[in-house]
């Protein structure tokens, strides 16, 4: 019902002001009797409230809509239709892997949702002392750039490159321009499942990225990250990691675990398992910090000597040249 109200544009309209059934029918371009029936059922289900002949959003929903939760709602609606359902979970259990990209129609919504998420969690990442002496961050699948933006604001000597799909980078460009950081944050089209991590970085961030990939693709990505960095360079992972905070998984962690089952990544590692995956790639975990507000965790790690046979040359450039 909430999705239907959003599709008709009513959540945004009603967040501005209460409306009568006639006003709603006209704005949503639906029959007046049907509009009245729809509104009545929304009231019965606690989604709207009625005061005389005016209908308004329930207080909790009003807060959600005005604080920018609609993009997330739209993405969840898409995921439910696409794969986050019984059929999708069964297909994933039988080996189906959905690609990491969201449908093109929802890239803008994802960009907005990620910016909103970054407002809550980026300050926790930015507090890590490891950024202080760093010069050039690789923000891999960095989305709308919320993390690169905050880190560059807090560390005036840091530059960043956000790597992501071309479709996403259009939105990143806007956020970076709004922040006035075009001179310090570069954007590079990049393919998560195969492109090397370019040379020239001395730290990397993987925020909400590993859950898009299954274990073998994660290992392969971590290997590419390691190959691009020098020994001692920091790698920060930010994701849902049930088991970091004491007690049972939070409702957010439990719900996100359904997502990772349905997308086929099966991303359920606790901190120890993720630490083992990273160690295999030559990246050693130094600390894991839960973020209470977002129920996510920040893993700070550093590149070690790497796998036998792998060079740990500065920024990986020599290694890449050797392969050419
Ligand atoms: C969940 S978002 C995380 C964004 C950002 N790191 C953050 O934490 O807000 C996942 C990101 O992966 C990007 N992505 C998905 N598939 C990709 C692909 N095949 N190549 C490059 N980026 C991809 C998406 O565009 C999106 O920005």
């Amino acid at each position: 019902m909430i999705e239907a109200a959003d599709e008709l544009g009513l959540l945004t309209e009603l967040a501005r002001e209460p409306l009568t059934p006639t006003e709603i029918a006209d704005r949503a371009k639906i029959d007046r009797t049907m509009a009245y029936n729809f509104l009545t059922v929304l009231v019965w289900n606690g989604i709207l409230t009625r005061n005389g002949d005016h209908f308004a959003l329930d207080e909790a929903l009003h807060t959600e809509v005005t604080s920018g939760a609609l993009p997330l709602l739209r993405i969840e609606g898409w995921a439910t239709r696409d794969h986050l359902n019984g059929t999708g979970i069964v297909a994933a259990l039988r080996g189906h892997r959905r690609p990491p990209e969201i449908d093109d129609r929802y890239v803008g919504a994802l960009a907005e949702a990620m910016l909103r998420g970054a407002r809550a969690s980026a300050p926790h990442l930015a507090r890590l002392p490891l950024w202080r002496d760093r010069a050039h961050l690789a923000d891999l699948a960095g989305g709308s750039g919320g993390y690169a933006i905050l880190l560059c604001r807090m560390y005036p000597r840091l530059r960043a490159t956000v790597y992501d799909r071309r479709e996403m980078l259009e939105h990143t460009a806007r956020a970076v321009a709004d922040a006035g950081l075009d001179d310090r944050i570069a954007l590079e089209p990049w393919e998560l499942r195969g492109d090397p991590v370019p040379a020239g970085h001395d730290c990397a961030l993987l925020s909400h990225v590993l859950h898009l990939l299954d274990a073998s693709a994660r290992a392969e990505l971590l290997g590419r990250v390691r190959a691009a960095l020098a020994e001692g360079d920091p790698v920060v992972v930010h994701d849902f990691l049930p088991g970091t905070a004491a007690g049972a998984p939070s409702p957010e962690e439990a719900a996100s675990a359904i997502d990772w089952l349905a997308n086929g990544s099966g991303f359920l590692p606790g901190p120890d398992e993720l630490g083992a995956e990273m160690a295999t790639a030559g990246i050693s975990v130094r600390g894991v910090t839960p973020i209470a507000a977002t129920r996510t965790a920040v893993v700070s790690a550093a590149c070690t000597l790497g796998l036998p046979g792998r060079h740990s040359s500065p920024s990986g450039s020599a290694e890449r040249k050797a392969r050419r």
Side-chain angles (χ1 to χ4, degrees):
M1 290 295 277
I2 292 178
E3 268 183 66
D6 183 39
E7 201 165 320
L8 291 167
L10 293 182
L11 296 185
T12 315
E13 295 276 353
L14 286 167
R16 280 191 209 111
E17 55 177 348
L19 296 169
T20 65
T22 306
E23 288 168 331
I24 286 172
D26 290 349
R27 292 183 197 193
K29 299 188 177 51
I30 52 177
D31 171 83
R32 287 181 183 184
T33 309
M34 288 305 281
Y36 184 80
N37 294 348
F38 181 52
L39 293 169
T40 304
V41 178
L42 283 166
V43 171
W44 288 352
N45 283 280
I47 296 166
L48 299 186
T49 56
R50 180 173 182 172
N51 187 358
D53 61 353
H54 279 75
F55 289 78
L57 293 182
D58 156 71
E59 199 181 319
L61 186 57
H62 186 272
T63 309
E64 288 282 297
V65 172
T66 50
S67 67
L70 280 183
L72 200 54
L73 175 80
R74 290 170 189 154
I75 293 168
E76 278 171 4
W78 161 77
T80 307
R81 290 187 296 279
D82 186 78
H83 60 280
L84 192 50
N85 51 51
T87 310
I89 291 172
V90 171
L93 293 175
R94 295 204 162 124
H96 179 70
R97 300 282 174 270
R98 93 156 300 288
E101 308 79 37
I102 199 166
D103 186 294
D104 283 355
R105 286 169 298 164
Y106 294 92
V107 172
L110 179 61
E112 275 187 58
M114 292 294 112
L115 267 185
R116 184 176 187 241
R119 277 199 282 277
S121 43
H124 296 270
L125 273 74
R127 246 177 247 148
L128 295 172
L130 58 89
W131 308 112
R132 280 192 199 132
D133 60 349
R134 296 293 109 187
H136 193 184
L137 167 73
D139 188 359
L140 299 163
S144 37
Y147 295 84
I149 289 170
L150 187 76
L151 287 167
C152 283
R153 275 193 181 136
M154 280 189 63
Y155 298 92
R157 282 181 305 170
L158 183 70
R159 288 184 302 124
T161 301
V162 177
Y163 296 93
D164 209 294
R165 306 170 59 201
R166 203 176 283 280
E167 294 82 350
M168 174 58 78
L169 292 180
E170 291 173 20
H171 301 276
T172 322
R174 260 196 301 281
V176 170
D178 288 348
L181 285 167
D182 306 76
D183 55 337
R184 289 174 53 214
I185 301 182
L187 313 180
E188 281 291 334
W190 182 75
E191 170 48 54
L192 173 65
R193 284 166 300 177
D195 281 353
V197 176
H201 295 283
D202 60 3
C203 52
L205 172 63
L206 290 161
S207 172
H208 290 307
V209 177
L210 293 181
H211 66 236
L212 300 171
L213 305 171
D214 68 15
S216 63
R218 287 200 295 276
E220 201 269 327
L221 171 62
L222 289 169
R224 279 182 278 140
V225 173
R226 174 64 192 89
L229 297 174
E231 190 185 342
D233 283 346
V235 176
V236 173
V237 170
H238 170 231
D239 221 310
F240 289 100
L241 277 193
T244 308
S250 66
E252 292 83 354
E253 288 168 326
S256 66
I258 303 175
D259 265 298
W260 320 147
L261 270 186
N263 75 1
S265 74
F267 183 77
L268 280 183
D272 293 345
E273 291 93 332
L274 182 63
E277 287 187 11
M278 293 174 75
T280 304
I283 302 169
S284 170
V285 172
R286 301 283 194 245
V288 182
T289 317
I291 306 179
T294 50
R295 304 295 183 158
T296 53
V298 183
V299 179
S300 56
C303 293
T304 49
L305 272 175
L307 294 171
R310 171 172 284 155
H311 298 275
S312 61
S313 52
S315 76
S317 54
E319 188 181 31
R320 260 192 305 285
K321 274 184 209 143
R323 283 205 300 261
R324 278 190 202 130

